[in-house]
Amino acid sequence: MAIVDFPELKALLIRDGRLMALDVGSKTIGVATSDALRMLATPLTTIKRSKLAADLGALADLAKKHEVKALAIGLPLNMDGTEGPRCQSIRQFAANIAAHAPPALSTLPVVLQDERMSTAAVTRGMIDDYDMSRAKRAERVDAAAAAWILESALARLRP
């Protein structure tokens, strides 16, 4: 399905159901899911990037397993709100989902959620709140950033 805006997504999501968020990087994809009532965002996993078909297949498997109703993909806007080259890459990734992903993923509506400072905020929290080592942070930061993106999207969907 195509990229939609938040008002359109609200209209499409009449019943309860999980959302999945992606923090798409050049080397990894952080994944988070919500609960069925869309109240909580939970980091799920981090996928190491490989070929596009393998990445989309892994994401489709997760979407099917967790009965996901929509996707929120982090859009890395510049601090002034403009779009740079990374935004173009994310928009292309979203287009690839619609064009090349298995049906469990390609039929889902997709929203792009501003992700400015998500990784920095999550990393700072891991250091301040949990005194987490660099190695532990590296394992978990992408999925945690996806949860941060999902929390922002869920807040926009609430009445």
Side-chain angles (χ1 to χ4, degrees):
M1 186 171 220
I3 296 172
V4 299
D5 58 17
F6 277 92
E8 191 175 355
L9 183 61
K10 274 186 182 181
L12 290 170
L13 295 176
I14 297 168
R15 287 181 236 103
D16 293 336
R18 297 178 195 279
L19 269 62
M20 186 164 78
L22 307 177
D23 179 30
V24 181
S26 59
K27 296 179 183 176
T28 60
I29 302 171
V31 183
T33 58
S34 73
D35 62 323
L37 296 176
R38 297 187 208 116
M39 301 301 286
L40 301 170
T42 305
L44 186 62
T45 190
T46 300
I47 297 171
K48 292 213 183 285
R49 299 281 308 261
S50 62
K51 297 208 180 293
L52 179 64
D55 296 346
L56 296 178
L59 292 170
D61 290 345
L62 289 171
K64 187 174 181 178
K65 176 181 176 183
H66 294 280
E67 299 175 352
V68 171
K69 302 296 184 205
L71 289 176
I73 301 176
L75 187 65
L77 297 171
N78 294 323
M79 290 307 291
D80 64 0
T82 60
E83 293 192 13
R86 282 291 300 140
C87 286
Q88 183 178 359
S89 171
I90 297 304
R91 288 186 183 281
Q92 184 59 55
F93 187 82
N96 286 337
I97 287 173
H100 304 293
L105 193 64
S106 65
T107 57
L108 299 176
V110 175
V111 293
L112 299 176
Q113 171 62 44
D114 180 359
E115 72 161 35
R116 279 179 279 188
M117 302 301 292
S118 62
T119 301
V122 166
T123 301
R124 175 62 35 214
M126 288 177 169
I127 293 168
D128 292 347
D129 298 340
Y130 302 107
D131 194 27
M132 200 176 279
S133 70
R134 186 181 309 253
K136 287 274 189 207
R137 285 193 314 266
E139 291 173 10
R140 298 183 181 150
V141 71
D142 295 316
W148 192 91
I149 291 163
L150 185 54
E151 286 173 2
S152 300
L154 292 172
R156 292 182 69 181
L157 289 173
R158 289 189 188 107

